[in-house]
Protein backbone atom coordinates (compact mmCIF):
# COMPACT_ATOMS: atom_id res chain seq x y z
CA UNK A 1 0.00 0.00 0.00
CA UNK A 2 2.90 2.32 0.66
CA UNK A 3 4.06 1.93 -2.93
CA UNK A 4 0.63 2.91 -4.19
CA UNK A 5 0.66 6.00 -1.99
CA UNK A 6 4.21 6.84 -3.08
CA UNK A 7 3.33 6.54 -6.77
CA UNK A 8 0.28 8.77 -6.27
CA UNK A 9 2.39 11.39 -4.48
CA UNK A 10 5.32 11.09 -6.97
CA UNK A 11 7.90 10.33 -4.31
CA UNK A 12 11.50 9.83 -5.43
CA UNK A 13 12.91 6.31 -5.20
CA UNK A 14 15.59 7.51 -2.79
CA UNK A 15 12.91 8.43 -0.27
CA UNK A 16 11.28 5.03 -0.71
CA UNK A 17 14.53 3.18 -0.09
CA UNK A 18 15.05 4.83 3.29
CA UNK A 19 12.34 2.49 4.58
CA UNK A 20 10.17 4.85 6.59
CA UNK A 21 7.37 4.82 4.02
CA UNK A 22 6.95 1.08 4.28
CA UNK A 23 7.80 0.89 7.97
CA UNK A 24 4.85 2.95 9.20
CA UNK A 25 2.45 1.36 6.72
CA UNK A 26 3.43 -2.18 7.68
CA UNK A 27 3.23 -1.46 11.41
CA UNK A 28 -0.24 0.03 10.98
CA UNK A 29 -1.47 -2.90 8.87
CA UNK A 30 -0.17 -5.39 11.43
CA UNK A 31 -1.70 -3.54 14.37
CA UNK A 32 -5.16 -3.09 12.83
CA UNK A 33 -5.26 -6.23 10.71
CA UNK A 34 -4.24 -8.85 13.23
CA UNK A 35 -2.84 -7.86 16.59
CA UNK A 36 -5.52 -5.66 18.13
CA UNK A 37 -8.46 -7.02 16.11
CA UNK A 38 -9.28 -10.62 15.32
CA UNK A 39 -7.85 -11.35 11.87
CA UNK A 40 -10.53 -11.87 9.28
CA UNK A 41 -11.09 -10.52 5.79
CA UNK A 42 -12.78 -7.38 7.08
CA UNK A 43 -10.08 -6.44 9.60
CA UNK A 44 -7.30 -7.12 7.10
CA UNK A 45 -8.94 -4.90 4.48
CA UNK A 46 -9.37 -2.15 7.11
CA UNK A 47 -5.69 -2.65 7.99
CA UNK A 48 -4.68 -2.15 4.36
CA UNK A 49 -6.68 1.05 4.18
CA UNK A 50 -5.05 2.28 7.37
CA UNK A 51 -1.63 1.41 5.91
CA UNK A 52 -2.41 3.65 2.95
CA UNK A 53 -3.40 6.46 5.32
CA UNK A 54 -0.19 5.91 7.32
CA UNK A 55 1.83 6.33 4.12
CA UNK A 56 0.04 9.59 3.40
CA UNK A 57 0.65 10.72 6.98
CA UNK A 58 4.35 9.87 6.60
CA UNK A 59 4.55 12.09 3.55
CA UNK A 60 2.68 14.93 5.25
CA UNK A 61 4.68 14.78 8.45
CA UNK A 62 7.95 14.52 6.51
CA UNK A 63 7.06 17.74 4.71
CA UNK A 64 6.11 19.33 8.02
CA UNK A 65 9.27 18.25 9.84
CA UNK A 66 11.71 18.93 6.97
CA UNK A 67 12.27 22.63 7.81
CA UNK A 68 12.99 21.63 11.41
CA UNK A 69 15.34 18.84 10.25
CA UNK A 70 13.56 16.32 12.46
CA UNK A 71 12.93 12.68 11.51
CA UNK A 72 9.38 11.39 11.30
CA UNK A 73 10.21 7.98 12.79
CA UNK A 74 7.04 6.10 13.91
CA UNK A 75 4.83 9.13 14.55
CA UNK A 76 2.54 8.41 11.54
CA UNK A 77 2.03 4.87 12.80
CA UNK A 78 1.04 6.09 16.24
CA UNK A 79 -1.29 8.81 14.98
CA UNK A 80 -3.04 6.65 12.38
CA UNK A 81 -3.36 3.58 14.63
CA UNK A 82 -4.85 5.49 17.55
CA UNK A 83 -7.21 7.43 15.30
CA UNK A 84 -8.30 4.18 13.60
CA UNK A 85 -9.00 2.63 17.01
CA UNK A 86 -11.16 5.58 17.98
CA UNK A 87 -13.02 5.63 14.66
CA UNK A 88 -13.52 1.86 14.42
CA UNK A 89 -14.77 1.54 17.97
CA UNK A 90 -17.65 3.88 17.28
CA UNK A 91 -18.48 3.17 13.64
CA UNK A 92 -17.79 -0.53 13.07
CA UNK A 93 -18.86 -2.64 16.03
CA UNK A 94 -18.72 -5.76 13.83
CA UNK A 95 -14.94 -5.88 14.20
CA UNK A 96 -13.95 -8.09 17.11
CA UNK A 97 -11.36 -6.33 19.27
CA UNK A 98 -8.83 -8.30 21.28
CA UNK A 99 -8.64 -7.51 24.99
CA UNK A 100 -5.34 -5.88 25.79
CA UNK A 101 -4.45 -8.38 28.51
CA UNK A 102 -4.81 -11.28 26.01
CA UNK A 103 -2.76 -9.86 23.14
CA UNK A 104 -0.67 -12.64 21.66
CA UNK A 105 -0.12 -13.67 18.04
CA UNK A 106 -2.71 -13.14 15.28
CA UNK A 107 -2.95 -16.90 14.80
CA UNK A 108 -3.94 -17.37 18.43
CA UNK A 109 -6.50 -14.56 18.18
CA UNK A 110 -8.04 -16.20 15.11
CA UNK A 111 -8.18 -19.58 16.85
CA UNK A 112 -9.87 -18.09 19.93
CA UNK A 113 -12.36 -16.28 17.70
CA UNK A 114 -13.31 -19.46 15.83
CA UNK A 115 -13.70 -21.45 19.07
CA UNK A 116 -15.85 -18.72 20.63
CA UNK A 117 -17.95 -18.48 17.47
CA UNK A 118 -18.54 -22.24 17.50
CA UNK A 119 -19.46 -22.24 21.20
CA UNK A 120 -21.88 -19.35 20.78
CA UNK A 121 -23.55 -20.92 17.73
CA UNK A 122 -23.97 -24.23 19.59
CA UNK A 123 -25.35 -22.39 22.61
CA UNK A 124 -27.86 -20.52 20.43
CA UNK A 125 -28.91 -23.76 18.78
CA UNK A 126 -29.44 -25.40 22.18
CA UNK A 127 -31.45 -22.40 23.39
CA UNK A 128 -33.72 -22.60 20.35
CA UNK A 129 -34.52 -26.31 20.77
CA UNK A 130 -37.26 -25.89 23.39
CA UNK A 131 -38.99 -23.26 21.29
CA UNK A 132 -38.87 -25.44 18.20
CA UNK A 133 -40.15 -28.37 20.23
CA UNK A 134 -43.00 -26.29 21.67
CA UNK A 135 -44.08 -25.33 18.16
CA UNK A 136 -44.06 -28.97 17.15
CA UNK A 137 -45.93 -29.94 20.32
CA UNK A 138 -48.45 -27.16 19.72
CA UNK A 139 -49.13 -28.42 16.21
CA UNK A 140 -49.39 -31.99 17.48
CA UNK A 141 -51.78 -30.94 20.25
CA UNK A 142 -54.01 -29.15 17.75
CA UNK A 143 -54.07 -32.21 15.53
CA UNK A 144 -54.83 -34.49 18.46
CA UNK A 145 -57.68 -32.24 19.56
CA UNK A 146 -59.08 -32.17 16.03
CA UNK A 147 -58.80 -35.95 15.86
CA UNK A 148 -60.56 -36.36 19.20
CA UNK A 149 -63.32 -34.00 18.12
CA UNK A 150 -63.89 -35.89 14.89
CA UNK A 151 -63.97 -39.15 16.80
CA UNK A 152 -66.39 -37.68 19.34
CA UNK A 153 -68.60 -36.30 16.58
CA UNK A 154 -68.65 -39.58 14.70
CA UNK A 155 -69.55 -41.49 17.87
CA UNK A 156 -72.46 -39.16 18.73
CA UNK A 157 -75.98 -40.38 18.25
CA UNK A 158 -77.50 -39.26 15.02
CA UNK A 159 -80.32 -37.39 16.79
CA UNK A 160 -78.04 -34.42 17.48
CA UNK A 161 -78.09 -31.58 15.00
CA UNK A 162 -75.17 -29.52 13.76
CA UNK A 163 -76.12 -26.65 16.11
CA UNK A 164 -75.89 -29.02 19.06
CA UNK A 165 -72.47 -30.18 17.95
CA UNK A 166 -71.23 -26.58 17.76
CA UNK A 167 -72.53 -25.98 21.29
CA UNK A 168 -70.73 -29.09 22.48
CA UNK A 169 -67.47 -27.90 20.96
CA UNK A 170 -67.59 -24.55 22.75
Amino acid sequence: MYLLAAVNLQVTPDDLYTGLWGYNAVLTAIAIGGVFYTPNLFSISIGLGCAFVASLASWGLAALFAPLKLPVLALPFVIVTISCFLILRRSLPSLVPVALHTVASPEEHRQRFLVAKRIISNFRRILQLPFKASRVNCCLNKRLLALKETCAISSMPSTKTKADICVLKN
Side-chain angles (χ1 to χ4, degrees):
M1 293 310 284
Y2 75 94
L3 288 176
L4 183 63
V7 168
N8 286 338
L9 296 172
Q10 300 172 351
V11 176
T12 62
D14 292 336
D15 289 339
L16 283 176
Y17 292 133
T18 59
L20 289 179
W21 277 79
Y23 177 74
N24 288 313
V26 168
L27 282 179
T28 305
I30 289 171
I32 301 294
V35 174
F36 295 115
Y37 288 101
T38 300
N40 55 25
L41 186 61
F42 193 56
S43 69
I44 291 171
S45 61
I46 295 291
L48 289 175
C50 290
F52 183 77
V53 172
S55 296
L56 296 177
S58 295
W59 175 77
L61 289 173
L64 182 69
F65 288 174
L68 302 172
K69 295 182 181 175
L70 292 173
V72 175
L73 300 177
L75 188 60
F77 158 69
V78 173
I79 292 171
V80 171
T81 303
I82 290 174
S83 62
C84 283
F85 282 144
L86 295 175
I87 292 169
L88 292 175
R89 183 180 348 148
R90 304 226 190 285
S91 63
L92 295 174
S94 60
L95 282 177
V96 181
V98 176
L100 290 179
H101 68 279
T102 61
V103 171
S105 67
E107 293 84 7
E108 189 174 333
H109 299 319
R110 176 84 175 149
Q111 185 64 29
R112 282 190 212 156
F113 171 72
L114 292 176
V115 168
K117 186 176 176 182
R118 192 171 346 140
I119 289 171
I120 289 171
S121 65
N122 287 339
F123 184 68
R124 284 183 183 158
R125 186 178 48 82
I126 289 170
L127 282 178
Q128 290 174 351
L129 285 177
F131 297 111
K132 289 181 181 178
S134 67
R135 278 186 249 153
V136 170
N137 287 340
C138 181
C139 293
L140 288 176
N141 288 338
K142 287 180 183 177
R143 288 183 184 167
L144 286 174
L145 286 174
L147 184 64
K148 285 180 184 178
E149 288 176 0
T150 56
C151 291
I153 291 173
S154 63
S155 65
M156 284 184 167
S158 59
T159 58
K160 301 280 184 187
T161 63
K162 288 184 181 179
D164 295 334
I165 292 172
C166 290
V167 171
L168 289 175
K169 282 184 183 179
N170 295 332

